[in-house]
Amino acid sequence: MYTDLMSTSERLIESTRDLLWERGYVGTSPKAILERAGAGQGSMYHHFKGKPDLALAAIQRTAEQLRAAAERSLEGPGTPYERIEAYLRREREVLRGCPVGRLTMDPDVIASDELRAPVAETLAAIRERIAGIVEEGKRQGQFAPELDAERIAATILATVQGGYVLARAAGSPAAFDAAVDGLLALLAPRTA
């Protein structure tokens, strides 16, 4: 699964990322991490203070990658509406759920200020970036001037996260797509 070119610490982080996404914090045992990483017994404690330290590194990496993926869609070419549409329609593993959003349902992650911080910071950064694009669209006359950019950004983020839940419950990405289509219809640019 992981290449021989990866360092042991990298394999541990990547293994933990995958396991957190699949099983959550409690379901991710040190033994499972070591097995997935193909690492020896003492490797985790050689590179990390323990499971919480390794989990934090994995969550931070996941958060960074999600932010980068969102930014690639949001900074692309096009009007504000088209960039929001690109963000909403970007390729995702819908049936697996959001690797960051799923962490919000993990009681052990939410109970830890340290583990929760990268999750909260990432969602806030994406929401803030989207709000800026909505403001840009308002200035250009593409969106109604009375729209509250912060609320619209929160709605966009909620649609994505809720779309994952609906798709997983239905066992089909069609539910995610329907939520996105509905939101985009509501956001459709004003015409003169």
Side-chain angles (χ1 to χ4, degrees):
M1 176 174 243
Y2 304 107
T3 70
D4 291 334
L5 300 175
M6 292 174 82
S7 68
T8 301
S9 63
E10 283 297 307
R11 289 195 324 267
L12 289 167
I13 291 170
E14 290 302 313
S15 297
T16 304
R17 289 181 64 225
D18 290 343
L19 289 165
L20 287 172
W21 196 0
E22 293 167 16
R23 304 178 184 181
Y25 186 83
V26 171
T28 300
S29 69
K31 181 181 179 186
I33 293 168
L34 292 171
E35 285 177 3
R36 175 93 40 116
Q41 191 91 25
S43 296
M44 182 178 353
Y45 300 100
H46 175 72
H47 296 284
F48 301 94
K49 295 174 193 162
K51 179 182 167 182
D53 188 42
L54 176 54
L56 179 60
I59 291 169
Q60 288 171 331
R61 172 86 49 86
T62 298
E64 289 166 10
Q65 288 185 357
L66 180 66
R67 276 172 120 160
E71 190 58 36
R72 281 191 298 275
S73 299
L74 294 168
E75 73 181 3
T79 66
Y81 177 86
E82 290 167 341
R83 291 177 5 236
I84 290 169
E85 180 179 28
Y87 167 73
L88 289 168
R89 294 197 189 280
R90 76 175 175 79
E91 191 170 325
R92 294 174 163 86
E93 293 185 65
V94 174
L95 294 180
R96 284 189 77 192
C98 176
V100 170
R102 284 187 66 178
L103 292 169
T104 65
M105 294 182 261
D106 191 313
D108 293 291
V109 171
I110 295 306
S112 166
D113 290 341
E114 191 173 32
L115 295 177
R116 186 180 64 246
V119 173
E121 290 164 7
T122 296
L123 295 175
I126 294 170
R127 188 174 60 243
E128 185 178 310
R129 180 70 169 101
I130 293 169
I133 293 170
V134 172
E135 285 295 340
E136 181 184 336
K138 287 169 53 176
R139 285 191 302 275
Q140 293 176 5
Q142 189 172 30
F143 297 131
E146 65 273 6
L147 282 183
D148 182 314
E150 290 293 326
R151 287 182 178 173
I152 296 300
T155 301
I156 291 168
L157 207 53
T159 299
V160 169
Q161 295 302 319
Y164 281 121
V165 171
L166 294 173
R168 286 175 57 86
S172 169
F176 182 95
D177 295 340
V180 165
D181 290 344
L183 178 60
L184 287 171
L186 291 172
L187 288 175
R190 299 171 0 146
T191 55

